Amino acid sequence: MKSLATLIFLMLISLPLYAFQRDVVEHALKEGDYKGNLIAVSLTTTAAEKGDKDAQFFLATMYRDGKVIDENLQEAVKWFTKSAEQGHVEAQGVLGSMYYFGRGVPKNYQEAAKWVTKAAEQGLANAQYVLGTMYENGEGVSQNNQEALKWYKKSAAQGGVDAQYHLGEIYWNGIWVSQNRQEALKWYKSAAEQGDSHAQMKIGLEYFKGEFFPQNSEEAIRWFKKAAEQGLLSAQLLLGEIYWNGTSVKQDRQEAFKWYKLAAKQGDSTAQQKVALVYITGELTTQNFELATWWFKKAAEQGHAVAQYSLYMLYDEGYWVPKSHQEAVQWLKKSAEQGIAQAQSDLSVLYFNGKELPQNHREAFKWSKKAAEQGYAVAQFNLAKMYYNGYGVEKDIKKSYIWNAVAAASGHEDAKKYRDLDAENLSQDELYQAQSEAAELYEKYGSH
């Protein structure tokens, strides 16, 4: 004799997929208990094979997601197709996306457009947005900006957040339409209120600047925080900067550090450099040189020039890391190549002295000149010495005077003395000319 559980199970799978069974299936799709999943699969398969379009959609979803049963994209496409052919709007939309991305079937924009259009015409907001992008990009349909705009508006009017944000972009930048910032902000705000982090950032910026909304720093911060709490990197960085500098808010470096850490964990090199400096000083958290070095490396490996220079100093002096001139020079070169004036000047000195690097006065001159032209007074003074002695360049007392004069005007004390010594070796005409050129160079390269 069959058990009561078996009788109930047989009775259930013999019925159409009505409300109770659908609840079981939905529970299974949310990764319910294993027994529930088995029952859900049996119920769904039986109903799907009998032609229930909802069951076909659920079964396709199970095969697509691979949570309740093993993933099988070909089976998913088969059941989405059966459901879609019966008019199931969500199945039509999903089937369109599978053709669009080539999941379980060869990529086919025309087939994608066919199914997305059916779903869009039935009022599915997400499908309307996708159809808009297909018209915008000319994928599976003839490129048509006005048709794209029509579908974006239909989706946005139903609360489609992606469409709302995209309409904001269209009106903000005047794409296919007359630029209308107020219309753009209307759509940005709709998207922001639904939780779109990029729209929240945009609304926050407008309150912060006060150009189109009344300036309101408190409201701006509120929107920035909404975006940042969703993990939007640009919002986290901006909050860090705002609180660090006390821009339109009371300075709160502890709050700034919190946001910088979140941005650093997302891989932003600027935030990583900032966090490393905080760990070195121990001003806002427990001093931790090991963590500081770790964050410097993270930033430096991503190409952050200041972090690279910081690592150079750590390895050069052996602070918290094994002393290594080879490692130090590697990071110094990277920083110098990215335009950090102090790194360029230090690299010039290494080439000049010929200790950590083979002596090369031409290279020394090259790097001193790069740093000098960024207004770095030490490099300007060193460049003058190279011109005076003819190291790496043809000897030229006049140019020595010029760079000493620029360095002196930039605040280098020793340069004043050597400028005056250079002057003694110039004729009056040469001196006047050198002074004029020095004034021009100071305007261009001085430390203002």
Side-chain angles (χ1 to χ4, degrees):
M1 184 175 177
K2 294 183 175 69
S3 69
L4 180 61
T6 303
L7 289 171
I8 292 172
F9 178 75
L10 291 172
M11 180 180 70
L12 286 173
I13 63 173
S14 68
L15 295 172
L17 194 70
Y18 292 129
F20 172 71
Q21 292 96 319
R22 186 171 290 108
D23 288 345
V24 172
V25 174
E26 287 175 344
H27 176 71
L29 292 176
K30 293 176 183 176
E31 297 185 274
D33 65 284
Y34 183 68
K35 290 181 181 177
N37 286 351
L38 282 179
I39 293 173
V41 173
S42 297
L43 287 170
T44 306
T45 302
T46 301
E49 288 171 347
K50 289 183 176 181
D52 188 297
K53 65 181 180 181
D54 290 329
Q56 291 166 344
F57 174 74
F58 278 123
L59 185 59
T61 303
M62 291 179 187
Y63 278 118
R64 181 195 65 185
D65 296 343
K67 292 179 180 178
V68 182
I69 49 181
D70 291 339
E71 181 186 289
N72 187 326
L73 294 180
Q74 288 73 29
E75 278 295 299
V77 169
K78 181 184 89 174
W79 289 108
F80 277 132
T81 302
K82 289 180 180 292
S83 181
E85 286 171 346
Q86 292 196 73
H88 192 290
V89 61
E90 290 174 276
Q92 291 169 343
V94 174
L95 185 59
S97 74
M98 296 192 81
Y99 275 108
Y100 185 90
F101 292 107
R103 297 192 69 207
V105 287
K107 185 181 287 190
N108 187 325
Y109 288 149
Q110 285 72 30
E111 196 69 13
K114 180 184 90 172
W115 290 110
V116 170
T117 300
K118 287 179 182 294
E121 287 173 345
Q122 284 200 72
L124 189 66
N126 186 56
Q128 291 168 338
Y129 170 70
V130 172
L131 187 57
T133 64
M134 296 184 82
Y135 274 111
E136 181 177 351
N137 299 319
E139 296 168 328
V141 291
S142 298
Q143 201 280 334
N144 188 323
N145 294 337
Q146 292 309 309
E147 195 68 12
L149 190 63
K150 179 187 87 173
W151 288 109
Y152 288 143
K153 286 182 175 179
K154 284 180 179 289
S155 178
Q158 289 196 80
V161 65
D162 291 331
Q164 290 172 344
Y165 181 78
H166 200 60
L167 276 177
E169 293 285 272
I170 288 169
Y171 281 107
W172 187 267
N173 297 302
I175 303 170
W176 329 317
V177 295
S178 299
Q179 191 178 58
N180 186 332
R181 295 284 169 89
Q182 293 298 338
E183 184 71 7
L185 288 168
K186 179 188 85 173
W187 290 115
Y188 281 138
K189 198 157 192 180
S190 294
E193 286 168 349
Q194 288 199 76
D196 185 275
S197 60
H198 290 91
Q200 290 167 342
M201 180 70 172
K202 194 80 176 179
I203 294 298
L205 286 171
E206 291 313 309
Y207 275 116
F208 200 70
K209 293 185 293 186
E211 187 177 354
F212 296 99
F213 293 150
Q215 203 282 332
N216 187 327
S217 298
E218 188 176 329
E219 189 68 3
I221 297 294
R222 184 174 77 86
W223 285 110
F224 291 150
K225 283 185 175 178
K226 284 180 179 288
E229 285 163 359
Q230 290 194 73
L232 187 65
L233 179 60
S234 58
Q236 293 171 344
L237 280 172
L238 185 57
L239 282 171
E241 182 182 339
I242 287 170
Y243 280 110
W244 190 268
N245 299 313
T247 308
S248 300
V249 295
K250 184 179 178 181
Q251 189 180 56
D252 186 341
R253 292 201 162 171
Q254 197 68 53
E255 183 73 4
F257 183 51
K258 178 185 86 174
W259 293 112
Y260 279 135
K261 275 200 295 184
L262 288 171
K265 288 174 182 176
Q266 286 205 68
D268 183 83
S269 61
T270 299
Q272 290 168 343
Q273 160 74 7
K274 200 82 174 178
V275 168
L277 290 172
V278 170
Y279 277 117
I280 279 183
T281 63
E283 181 186 351
L284 304 170
T285 187
T286 305
Q287 195 173 45
N288 189 321
F289 298 136
E290 187 178 344
L291 267 179
T293 304
W294 190 82
W295 282 116
F296 275 138
K297 282 186 176 178
K298 284 285 185 186
E301 285 165 358
Q302 290 193 79
H304 193 284
V306 175
Q308 290 169 343
Y309 185 73
S310 299
L311 278 183
Y312 153 68
M313 291 191 292
L314 296 185
Y315 279 108
D316 191 53
E317 298 294 335
Y319 292 137
W320 323 310
V321 292
K323 191 169 185 174
S324 169
H325 290 307
Q326 184 179 353
E327 191 79 8
V329 169
Q330 172 198 331
W331 291 113
L332 181 63
K333 283 183 175 179
K334 289 179 183 291
S335 182
E337 285 163 358
Q338 289 202 77
I340 299 299
Q342 192 168 351
Q344 293 169 339
S345 181
D346 288 357
L347 186 57
S348 171
V349 171
L350 295 188
Y351 275 118
F352 191 88
N353 292 332
K355 292 181 180 178
E356 288 84 358
L357 288 167
Q359 191 174 60
N360 187 327
H361 287 164
R362 286 190 178 277
E363 279 294 299
F365 175 82
K366 181 186 86 172
W367 288 108
S368 267
K369 192 168 188 291
K370 286 179 180 290
E373 289 176 348
Q374 289 198 70
Y376 192 58
V378 172
Q380 292 166 347
F381 176 64
N382 289 339
L383 191 62
K385 285 195 292 184
M386 291 184 197
Y387 273 118
Y388 184 86
N389 293 293
Y391 291 129
V393 67
E394 188 176 342
K395 182 180 175 76
D396 191 326
I397 304 298
K398 180 183 167 186
K399 286 186 177 176
S400 175
Y401 174 91
I402 290 169
W403 281 108
N404 271 322
V406 173
S410 296
H412 196 289
E413 289 300 320
D414 288 344
K416 297 176 183 178
K417 179 176 68 173
Y418 285 95
R419 173 200 61 194
D420 296 340
L421 289 172
D422 287 336
E424 294 175 6
N425 294 300
L426 298 174
S427 68
Q428 198 64 42
D429 286 345
E430 287 174 328
L431 183 58
Y432 285 147
Q433 190 178 4
Q435 288 170 339
S436 175
E437 288 183 31
E440 289 178 12
L441 276 185
Y442 181 70
E443 280 300 310
K444 194 173 182 181
Y445 302 128
S447 299
H448 300 295

